[in-house]
Amino acid sequence: MVHTPFPSQHTITQPADAVNLRISEIFFSLQGETSRAGLPTVFVRLTGCPLRCGYCDTGYAFYGGKSLSISAILTEVASYMPHYVTVTGGEPLAQKECLTLLRLLCDAGYSVSLETSGALDVSKVDARVSRILDIKTPGSGEAEKNLWSNLDHLTRHDEVKFVLCDEADYQWAVEAIRGRKLDLICPLLFSPVYDKLAPATLAEWVLRDRLPVRVQIQLHKLLWGEGPGR
């Protein structure tokens, strides 16, 4: 993926203070996944998710959080002076005003990515946003929630991710890639479930089958382990 040059400044267009989102956390860290892995990034984690994946590592974001106006969110993001911003969850698109936040972050000059489960419609997401679509495998327990029509809206600017629990998940993902020709749509990511599928094992499978995918390991967990704010 080609990233845009660093803007000289971020001009923030403030929305009405009455437009609120429920936020679990906002923090500055290294991006641990996707083609942006290793890049300093501000994360805006929204509260709430309609899915319950068996391996979820952000269950703390299902509930609670605090209500913030979008203008307050933009102000906090700007305080870190970032180039990259990731909106994540939970499932960020479960809050309809997430679309407004994404648009205004792009208007402010940031390079924005969205981490979404793929269970909700992505067609209305601002075209400037890189959509990271997490297709749920059987091992997640939520494969029936996949909204396959989302694939019709993806471009080379986006990425599709499979989080894999075991070899059965791997074979299911391979069939999905080949059957739907996913490699012709956008870059593909394979991620092993942390502490469940050995990354080296996944790497051997990918090399054996010569798959057109990027194997990724969650960099932030290697550096700091699991927990909020990373």
Side-chain angles (χ1 to χ4, degrees), residues 164-168 170-171 190-193 196-209 211 213 215-217:
L164 307 173
C165 296
D166 50 30
E167 190 168 9
Y170 173 82
Q171 294 297 343
F190 272 16
S191 182
V193 174
K196 187 168 184 180
L197 174 59
T201 299
L202 175 58
E204 290 297 336
W205 293 340
V206 168
L207 291 172
R208 178 195 66 198
D209 296 333
L211 293 184
V213 304
V215 175
Q216 60 174 18
I217 302 172

Side-chain angles (χ1 to χ4, degrees), residues 12-15 70-78 101 104-105 110:
I12 296 176
T13 303
Q14 299 283 15
I70 291 183
S71 59
I73 296 169
L74 292 172
T75 297
E76 186 166 349
V77 168
L101 173 64
L104 291 171
L105 286 168
Y110 302 114

Side-chain angles (χ1 to χ4, degrees), residues 118-156:
L120 300 180
D121 181 23
V122 301
S123 65
K124 295 180 175 61
V125 174
D126 193 292
R128 294 169 291 179
V129 175
S130 177
R131 293 165 291 191
I132 314 301
L133 192 74
D134 187 349
I135 294 180
K136 298 304 180 183
T137 62
S140 73
E142 295 284 26
E144 72 281 359
K145 302 287 182 60
N146 288 319
L147 185 63
W148 292 103
S149 59
N150 274 331
L151 297 176
D152 297 333
H153 305 292
L154 301 184
T155 71
R156 300 300 296 182

